[in-house]
Amino acid sequence: ATGGGATNAAVSFKKLGCDVSAFFKIGTDQAGEFIVQRMKEEGVVPHYKTVTPTQTGTSFIIPTPNKDRIIFAYRGANGTLKKDDIPQDLIESQNLVYITSLSEQAAHALPYITRMARKSIPTKGIRVAVNPGTSQLTCDVQTLKAALPDIDIIILNAEEMKMLMGSLKPRFFKSNNHY
């Protein structure tokens, strides 16, 4: 009901029986309060949040007759996440760090998050899984590329993989004739 990659993933992992902590950024509005309440109801406690005066992100999903969908998204507080917002002890206390799509300013925090988790691996064995969003596969591909050495699992569907390879191709190949 809350939408958003972090909350959707947290609730899904919780329903699979995992011990879950979630981190997300919300606004000081009714939508933000709703998210916090739903996380409590779903048993995603502890959850960690950063609150900003910016409106909580909102999406509208419109199904189409051919069973596709159109999504109108306003990233709001999600896009304002900075590396300073992320509690280092939260990352270090996990066994797995799952990072969902990050956009706008938040996308630039990806290498910081993955590096922080990687530093804890020798002592804790933390694994890092990332499900990047469309903007990370196209516009912010250099940020994703910088984080790749510290990612254990990258989750992409076929269309997303084509986007990523298309974004990386000019940087890795000298001509369009060699694949």
Side-chain angles (χ1 to χ4, degrees):
T2 62
T7 57
N8 281 347
V11 170
S12 295
F13 287 131
K14 183 69 178 177
K15 288 184 177 188
L16 290 171
C18 300
D19 290 329
V20 177
S21 295
F23 178 79
F24 46 88
K25 191 164 188 178
I26 57 174
T28 55
D29 53 20
Q30 189 174 11
E33 291 172 16
F34 176 76
I35 290 169
V36 170
Q37 182 59 38
R38 289 294 298 161
M39 290 298 96
K40 288 178 185 173
E41 291 169 7
E42 294 289 350
V44 179
V45 179
H47 59 264
Y48 302 85
K49 64 187 182 305
T50 297
V51 180
T52 178
T54 306
Q55 180 182 339
T56 300
T58 306
S59 297
F60 294 95
I61 302 170
I62 301 171
T64 64
N66 63 350
K67 304 209 185 287
D68 204 354
R69 64 188 188 279
I70 299 168
I71 302 173
F72 296 98
Y74 168 68
R75 300 291 177 201
N78 298 319
T80 68
L81 180 74
K82 300 178 296 226
K83 65 182 186 178
D84 295 341
D85 293 330
I86 302 162
Q88 184 171 350
D89 61 328
L90 172 62
I91 302 252
E92 292 172 347
S93 68
Q94 306 305 311
N95 294 319
L96 171 73
V97 175
Y98 173 83
I99 306 162
T100 189
S101 63
L102 300 170
S103 59
E104 300 174 16
Q105 179 179 316
H108 300 287
L110 181 63
Y112 172 77
I113 299 166
T114 59
R115 205 170 313 116
M116 189 186 326
R118 180 64 59 208
K119 284 181 184 178
S120 298
I121 284 178
T123 57
K124 185 84 168 110
I126 295 175
R127 296 292 177 236
V128 179
V130 177
N131 182 0
T134 302
S135 67
Q136 289 176 283
L137 300 172
T138 55
C139 306
D140 292 318
V141 74
Q142 290 303 317
T143 304
L144 177 59
K145 184 179 169 188
L148 283 175
D150 297 318
I151 296 173
D152 297 298
I153 302 164
I154 188 163
I155 303 164
L156 301 170
N157 63 31
E159 185 177 318
E160 292 165 339
M161 182 58 78
K162 288 177 188 174
M163 277 187 240
L164 177 59
M165 292 297 103
S167 295
L168 294 175
K169 181 178 157 188
R171 292 164 183 83
F172 289 133
F173 303 106
K174 293 181 181 176
S175 76
N176 291 337
N177 299 327
H178 299 96
Y179 294 96

